[in-house]
Amino acid sequence: MEINTIPICDAQGKVTHVLGTLQDITERKEIEVTLQQLYEELEIRVHQRTSELTQVVTHLQKEIKQREAIENQFLLSEEKLQKLSANVPGMLYQFKLGADGQFSFPYVSSGCFEIYELFPQNVIADASLFISSVHRDEREDFEKSIANSAQSLQPWQWEGRIILTSGKVKWIQAASRPEKQADGSIIWDGVVTDVTRLKQAERALKRAYTDLEKRVEERTQQLMQTNQALQKEIGERHLVQSELLASRQRLALLIEQTPLAVIEWDKNFAVKEWNRGAENIFGYTKEQAIGNYLEFIVSPTAQEQIDHFKTALLSQRGGSRVVTENITLDGKTIICEWYNNPLVAVNSEVIGVASMVLDITEREQSETTLQEQEQFLRSIYQGVEQLIFVVNVLDNGELVYADWNLATEKATGISASNAISKFPEEVFGDVQGAKIRQQYIRCLEVGIPITYEENLVFQGEENCWLTTINPLRNIEGKIYRIVGTSFNISERKQAETQLKQQTQELKIALNELQNAQIQLGQSEKMSSLGNLVAGVAHEINNPVNIIYDNIDYANNYIQNLLKIVQLYQQYYPQAASGIQAFAKEIDLEFIYDDLPKLLDSMKIGAQRIREIVTSLRNFSPMDEAQMKKLDIYQGLDNTFLLKDYLK
């Protein structure tokens, strides 16, 4: 019960009465107790729910951080794979910008059709097909980037859209390195790859990031919806990660199956990745190559080149091309063409290098062989004595000179450069040129090689020439060129005339021969005397040569002995009395002075005897052919020398 009392006072404020009320509050108390219990239960439930939600939020935040870490790793992996894929040739090409501003494609690989739906030969024939495929919204940027690269000769990189003939739009990524040529033109060697799927993945990833930020903000405002939103987001992230993983697997498969060697190095140039193409080129398996440094496949002759290359590569951000000699596992030397690109992390730090390697040994050998063959044929062409000339047959039937060799220049007195692209009449005059032209026309009419004699005047001198001209046909069977050779047969013509004269002279010589036989008897008598003299000279010659040849050796030996004696006198001046007495007895000082003179006199005497013997042998040879050519002046000198000795 609830009792309330109210005092009642009079005018003076004195309490005169008390008013009291009595109320049954049992039901209200029961309601209050029930409310208190409900409130306590509510607080317990709120606390429990708050704890549960806090745990859920903590768990989800942890999972978000883990997912974000995984995404960062995937992003780093994707960036690394994109660097590697930039070196995997979707389409290899060579782009040339001439000094006159004209552009062309000297080389386009077969990957052109896969990317551009164009055959390589079509792009090589018409370079505008490649340029016109660039999306019109990006063509200005495309042309500007090429102009900047041509001006600065810096590596060219471009990414944009192309429109194929089928109307399909693709994203491509192109990279190349320009090189200035001697003729003023610029050549870019590069690669184009299709990055359409990567662009799609990037857009999907950006959308995922946008959705993620939006959902995180909503979860902070509505905790009760966080769990459902995060679960949905996790599902979407799984999808993105699956796409990234599939893209990575496709790129890895492409790198593994390409015939080119694709190698990843760390910043110390130790091998981190080694594909099947590298195994085929260098012979090392992936297990053998991993961890080895670049020098294990580099020829010692290329070591200095590689040192400069590594320093330059790590200090730049663009790619580089280099051709070096390399060593395979079996010790074989090969020539490789390297395309290299530094791998740069998000923080701009170089974390490694990606290399694409092509074995060009056979190509280099073929080029060398062709150059040697061309040089060989050129040396024959320029080195032969006969005249060789080349005449081009123009489409309108005109005949102009294309070239001729040095022998033709020497004979005509006209250099090849002054004759090229000129008519015969312009080179040799109207009369003689018309005569030469008629022979060329006759060769064109018969269509087979012809040979003829002609009298031509070159440098004021007339000679007779034997000329052969041969028509050359193209694949259509049309004669497009005439190659001719000429021999100067003036001497042969003169020889034919002289042959008749020589026949008459031989008859006269026969008569003279008969007279010479009469004198032969007297010559035989003199021959017997000559044989006797020659025999004596031969017998004297051998011992005299022995003496003469050994005098120098004897002189050297004696000089050495005298030197030893002098050294003994120098280092042992107080010799035994017997030695001093004998040295005085033989007059050793006189021997030092006289013995070399004695040997010189012997040498002079032996030389004089040799000269006499030589004169005798030349004057009357014994063991030589009956008939031979002799120097009459030498014979006279020997005769006079013998005369002086016999006085």
Side-chain angles (χ1 to χ4, degrees):
M1 298 295 288
E2 183 181 32
I3 300 174
N4 293 316
T5 58
I6 301 173
I8 298 174
C9 301
D10 56 14
Q12 288 78 24
K14 184 177 180 182
V15 177
T16 59
H17 298 85
V18 175
L19 178 63
T21 60
L22 181 63
Q23 184 179 1
D24 185 359
I25 60 173
T26 303
E27 184 177 355
R28 189 181 72 182
K29 285 294 183 180
E30 291 176 352
I31 292 173
E32 289 179 357
V33 172
T34 301
L35 288 175
Q36 180 65 28
Q37 291 176 351
L38 290 174
Y39 179 76
E40 291 176 355
E41 290 178 359
L42 180 60
E43 284 186 347
I44 294 173
R45 289 180 181 179
V46 170
H47 179 73
Q48 291 176 347
R49 188 57 176 168
T50 302
S51 299
E52 291 175 357
L53 291 176
T54 302
Q55 292 176 358
V56 170
V57 171
T58 302
H59 177 73
L60 291 176
Q61 288 177 344
K62 183 177 180 181
E63 185 173 351
I64 289 172
K65 291 181 180 180
Q66 291 176 350
R67 295 294 180 183
E68 289 177 348
I70 293 173
E71 288 173 2
N72 291 333
Q73 292 178 358
F74 271 108
L75 288 175
L76 291 175
S77 298
E78 181 186 15
E79 182 180 359
K80 184 177 179 182
L81 289 173
Q82 287 177 351
K83 288 289 185 178
L84 289 173
S85 64
N87 290 280
V88 176
M91 183 192 83
L92 297 176
Y93 68 91
Q94 194 176 62
F95 176 73
K96 179 178 180 180
L97 179 62
D100 56 355
Q102 298 296 322
F103 57 85
S104 62
F105 284 89
Y107 172 77
V108 177
S109 71
S110 59
C112 176
F113 186 81
E114 181 180 355
I115 295 179
Y116 287 91
E117 296 181 355
L118 296 172
F119 290 102
Q121 57 269 28
N122 294 338
V123 176
I124 293 174
D126 186 2
S128 63
L129 295 175
F130 179 88
I131 306 299
S132 61
S133 66
V134 179
H135 197 283
R136 61 178 179 272
D137 295 339
E138 301 179 18
R139 188 168 300 171
E140 181 180 356
D141 177 70
F142 174 80
E143 294 175 351
K144 184 177 180 181
S145 65
I146 293 180
N148 292 337
S149 178
Q151 183 177 4
S152 63
L153 294 180
Q154 293 298 314
W156 177 72
Q157 292 183 346
W158 184 80
E159 184 178 278
R161 293 171 292 172
I162 60 173
I163 302 178
L164 308 183
T165 54
S166 62
K168 185 179 180 180
V169 178
K170 282 187 176 181
W171 280 87
I172 64 168
Q173 187 178 75
S176 63
R177 190 174 185 86
E179 184 175 356
K180 190 90 170 184
Q181 304 299 308
D183 59 355
S185 63
I186 302 175
I187 292 180
W188 283 266
D189 295 314
V191 60
V192 177
T193 55
D194 185 355
V195 295
T196 304
R197 292 186 177 180
L198 291 178
K199 282 293 181 181
Q200 293 173 350
E202 288 178 0
R203 288 195 295 269
L205 189 60
K206 289 180 180 178
R207 288 195 299 269
Y209 273 120
T210 302
D211 293 340
L212 177 62
E213 291 176 356
K214 182 179 179 180
R215 291 189 180 94
V216 169
E217 183 177 357
E218 290 175 354
R219 281 197 299 271
T220 59
Q221 298 175 359
Q222 300 176 357
L223 290 177
M224 298 301 295
Q225 300 176 1
T226 299
N227 187 37
Q228 182 180 358
L230 287 177
Q231 291 299 328
K232 182 178 180 181
E233 182 182 347
I234 290 172
E236 291 178 354
R237 289 186 178 276
H238 277 301
L239 180 60
V240 173
Q241 291 171 6
S242 298
E243 292 178 357
L244 291 174
L245 182 59
S247 176
R248 181 178 181 181
Q249 290 174 346
R250 287 193 298 271
L251 289 174
L253 184 61
L254 178 61
I255 292 172
E256 189 64 23
Q257 292 183 351
T258 179
L260 297 134
V262 179
I263 307 172
E264 180 187 355
W265 314 87
D266 62 18
K267 60 183 179 182
N268 295 320
F269 283 90
V271 177
K272 293 183 65 179
E273 290 294 337
W274 184 271
N275 76 334
R276 190 174 302 169
E279 293 181 357
N280 296 333
I281 291 176
F282 297 106
Y284 293 93
T285 64
K286 183 175 182 179
E287 292 74 15
Q288 292 173 322
I290 293 296
N292 282 309
Y293 292 95
L294 175 59
E295 287 73 13
F296 85 107
I297 55 172
V298 175
S299 172
T301 59
Q303 188 60 53
E304 184 176 355
Q305 178 188 10
I306 291 300
D307 292 339
H308 291 300
F309 149 74
K310 291 195 297 185
T311 302
L313 187 62
L314 292 177
S315 62
Q316 66 177 1
R317 292 296 180 267
S320 67
R321 173 185 173 274
V322 65
V323 177
T324 64
E325 288 186 355
N326 295 95
I327 304 298
T328 62
L329 176 62
D330 56 4
K332 181 181 177 182
T333 300
I334 60 175
I335 301 175
C336 293
E337 188 174 25
W338 291 70
Y339 293 89
N340 309 280
N341 231 42
L343 300 177
V344 184
V346 179
N347 59 358
S348 299
E349 179 185 358
V350 177
I351 61 175
V353 174
S355 299
M356 181 180 66
V357 188
L358 177 63
D359 185 357
I360 61 171
T361 304
E362 293 183 359
R363 188 182 77 187
E364 290 289 324
Q365 292 174 349
S366 299
E367 291 177 355
T368 302
T369 301
L370 288 175
Q371 291 175 357
E372 291 175 352
Q373 291 177 349
E374 181 182 359
Q375 183 64 29
F376 173 71
L377 294 176
R378 174 62 63 176
S379 64
I380 294 176
Y381 173 74
Q382 296 292 0
V384 294
E385 297 180 355
Q386 62 267 33
L387 280 57
I388 302 177
F389 55 91
V390 182
V391 181
N392 282 340
V393 182
L394 304 181
D395 294 336
N396 59 3
E398 280 293 347
L399 301 169
V400 295
Y401 286 102
D403 192 17
W404 61 40
N405 67 346
L406 295 176
T408 308
E409 291 184 352
K410 182 178 179 181
T412 61
I414 303 172
S415 66
S417 60
N418 292 332
I420 292 175
S421 300
K422 292 184 178 179
F423 306 127
E425 292 82 358
E426 294 179 292
V427 179
F428 301 112
D430 294 337
V431 177
Q432 188 162 263
K435 179 181 177 182
I436 294 173
R437 176 188 287 272
Q438 289 301 320
Q439 298 295 345
Y440 296 162
I441 294 175
R442 185 163 69 92
C443 178
L444 293 177
E445 291 174 349
V446 298
I448 59 175
I450 61 173
T451 302
Y452 55 91
E453 294 182 4
E454 57 183 348
N455 291 322
L456 299 174
V457 178
F458 297 140
Q459 304 185 71
E461 181 180 354
E462 182 177 2
N463 287 290
C464 184
W465 300 89
L466 179 64
T467 302
T468 299
I469 53 179
N470 183 35
L472 302 181
R473 300 179 184 272
N474 56 21
I475 57 177
E476 299 174 353
K478 182 180 178 181
I479 298 175
Y480 72 97
R481 181 169 292 168
I482 296 175
V483 178
T485 59
S486 293
F487 296 87
N488 190 344
I489 59 173
S490 300
E491 294 182 358
R492 190 181 76 179
K493 289 292 185 180
Q494 294 173 359
E496 292 175 356
T497 303
Q498 293 175 355
L499 183 60
K500 297 179 181 179
Q501 298 176 354
Q502 290 176 354
T503 302
Q504 185 64 29
E505 292 173 355
L506 287 174
K507 292 180 180 179
I508 298 173
L510 180 60
N511 294 331
E512 293 178 352
L513 179 61
Q514 292 174 349
N515 294 330
Q517 288 177 347
I518 298 173
Q519 299 177 356
L520 184 60
Q522 297 178 354
S523 298
E524 290 180 353
K525 296 178 182 179
M526 294 299 296
S527 177
S528 299
L529 178 60
N531 289 336
L532 177 61
V533 173
V536 173
H538 179 74
E539 293 299 323
I540 296 175
N541 184 55
N542 289 335
V544 168
N545 282 337
I546 293 173
I547 296 172
Y548 182 82
D549 292 337
N550 288 290
I551 284 177
D552 290 333
Y553 296 104
N555 186 27
N556 291 334
Y557 297 155
I558 292 172
Q559 290 293 336
N560 291 334
L561 292 173
L562 293 177
K563 182 65 177 178
I564 290 176
V565 173
Q566 290 176 345
L567 291 173
Y568 269 104
Q569 289 179 335
Q570 179 180 353
Y571 293 101
Y572 302 98
Q574 301 299 326
S577 57
I579 296 176
Q580 293 180 357
F582 183 76
K584 184 176 182 181
E585 179 181 349
I586 64 174
D587 196 358
L588 184 59
E589 296 297 330
F590 176 77
I591 291 175
Y592 286 155
D593 181 68
D594 189 64
L595 186 55
K597 297 178 181 179
L598 177 62
L599 291 173
D600 291 338
S601 299
M602 292 173 63
K603 184 174 183 180
I604 293 171
Q607 176 64 29
R608 188 173 182 184
I609 294 173
R610 289 185 67 187
E611 292 174 354
I612 295 173
V613 171
T614 302
S615 299
L616 288 173
R617 289 170 62 88
N618 292 333
F619 180 79
S620 180
M622 180 183 70
D623 52 351
E624 298 179 4
Q626 293 181 354
M627 297 293 292
K628 65 173 289 186
K629 291 183 180 180
L630 294 176
D631 188 350
I632 189 171
Y633 297 101
Q634 183 181 11
L636 291 173
D637 291 338
N638 292 331
T639 303
F640 290 127
L641 181 63
L642 290 174
K643 180 181 177 182
D644 293 335
Y645 286 146
L646 296 174
K647 283 183 178 181

